[in-house]
Amino acid sequence: MPDRYADILVVDLLGGIGDLLMLLPAVHGLARRNPGARLRVLTHEPGADLVRADPAVAEVRTPRHGGPGAEREAVVAALAAVRPDLAVSTTRYDGIPDLLDAGAGRAVTNLWRDPPPRQPVGDRYLEILCAEGLLDASDRAARPRVHLGDDARRAGERAVAHLVGGPLAPPVVLVTDAGMAVKRWPDRRWRGLAGGLTRRGHPVLTVGPVGGDPVGVPLPRADLPVLAGQFAAIGRRGGVVVGPDTGPVRLAAAAGAATVALFGPTDARRYGMGGVDLQGLPGCPHRLPTAITEQPCWWQARCPLDETGPACMIDLDVDAVLAAVTAC
């Protein structure tokens, strides 16, 4: 019988909403394998809101400030509050693995180790935890699912019902921003997609503008739990959420909506969301599936292949995306 742990600390301080969502199957698996355990999650705002209502999570902690060293200080504070029997972490910088090794009864501090180039990141996490004896084979097929509180679910339903009504075709949400310029689809493509969907009778909703203007009806601004509720309401109507490899699209998938994800600099085989994952420029010689931050385009969005913008995102044409959406 595998060991049982009474206090578990899960540390995800990579900074992105999507990073936390990819770790959720591991969080839920650890909770299932350790019934009655006090499972604490240390992560960043605003993603922390996605686990505060999760029944598997007993406590959510966040760094107290945004300055240098905040994450390390937060780990020190979490370890001082309660010495965990088990610590699991995706976070490798600022000596955090060493802190966890020294401060927990047992620590698994690098869920990124030795990744095969075609293995999805979340699957790698689960595989490592299985190899460590912390999960078993039945956990390997788990996918991210965000827990929706009643208030968030109702608020999301009200917002979508008000905007959509009872259309003949399912609604489509366009998530037009990506947070990083290197992941953005060109504005003209978003306008072309919105026009094609409208002609087919789909109500087009948007999260984020295109060139400063919406290309459809904007969803009401909301915190992350309510946004998840909106995406869940879209999913219940058979709708689709379209967007780049970014946190809100991952949130849509975790809330139960169908997704069409547009991948450029990141490899869909590593970062796919489980819906329809479209890869732009699959043969790009500069893409590094297991070391994306070392790509020449990553931080500055300066594409070595096309000075007008990321060639991989430009490679994704409107017809291909429109066909994927209408086939969902």
Side-chain angles (χ1 to χ4, degrees), residues 37 62 199:
T62 60
R199 288 190 292 273

Side-chain angles (χ1 to χ4, degrees), residues 11 16-17 22 24 37 52 55 79 108 128 157 160 164 174 185 195 209 220-221 252 255 304 315 321 325:
V11 178
I17 297 166
M22 287 190 288
L24 280 185
R52 285 195 168 100
L79 294 171
V108 179
I128 288 173
E157 178 62 34
V160 172
V164 171
L174 308 182
W185 206 34
R221 293 182 65 87
D315 186 57
V321 178
V325 173

Side-chain angles (χ1 to χ4, degrees), residues 6 24 31 64 76 100 176 203 212 230-231 247 290:
L24 280 185
R64 293 183 178 179
V76 170
L100 296 172
T176 57
Q230 293 172 352
F231 287 146
T290 63

Side-chain angles (χ1 to χ4, degrees), residues 61-159:
R61 302 178 71 99
T62 60
R64 293 183 178 179
H65 61 87
E71 290 82 3
R72 182 180 174 89
E73 291 173 18
V75 173
V76 170
L79 294 171
V82 179
R83 177 181 170 86
D85 302 307
L86 172 67
V88 172
S89 178
T90 60
T91 307
R92 298 174 289 176
Y93 58 82
D94 207 10
I96 287 173
D98 293 337
L99 288 174
L100 296 172
D101 285 335
R106 180 183 178 190
V108 179
T109 58
N110 187 358
L111 295 184
W112 292 89
R113 63 181 183 256
D114 304 320
R118 297 185 180 182
Q119 185 179 39
V121 171
D123 289 2
R124 185 61 181 160
Y125 293 166
L126 297 174
E127 182 176 78
I128 288 173
L129 292 173
C130 285
E132 294 280 350
L134 297 172
L135 300 179
D136 65 27
S138 65
D139 298 303
R140 293 281 297 274
R143 293 295 176 262
R145 286 292 178 263
V146 66
H147 176 80
L148 285 177
D150 290 341
D151 288 347
R153 188 179 296 277
R154 285 193 291 264
E157 178 62 34
R158 285 195 300 269

Side-chain angles (χ1 to χ4, degrees), residues 210-274:
V210 166
D213 298 314
V215 294
V217 179
L219 280 171
R221 293 182 65 87
D223 61 18
L224 288 177
V226 173
L227 180 60
Q230 293 172 352
F231 287 146
I234 293 293
R236 286 193 293 273
R237 288 164 171 76
V240 183
V241 178
V242 186
D245 175 15
T246 190
V249 184
R250 291 190 184 278
L251 180 58
T259 59
V260 174
L262 312 181
F263 286 85
T266 49
D267 192 317
R269 294 169 297 185
R270 284 275 289 154
Y271 292 90
M273 301 183 195

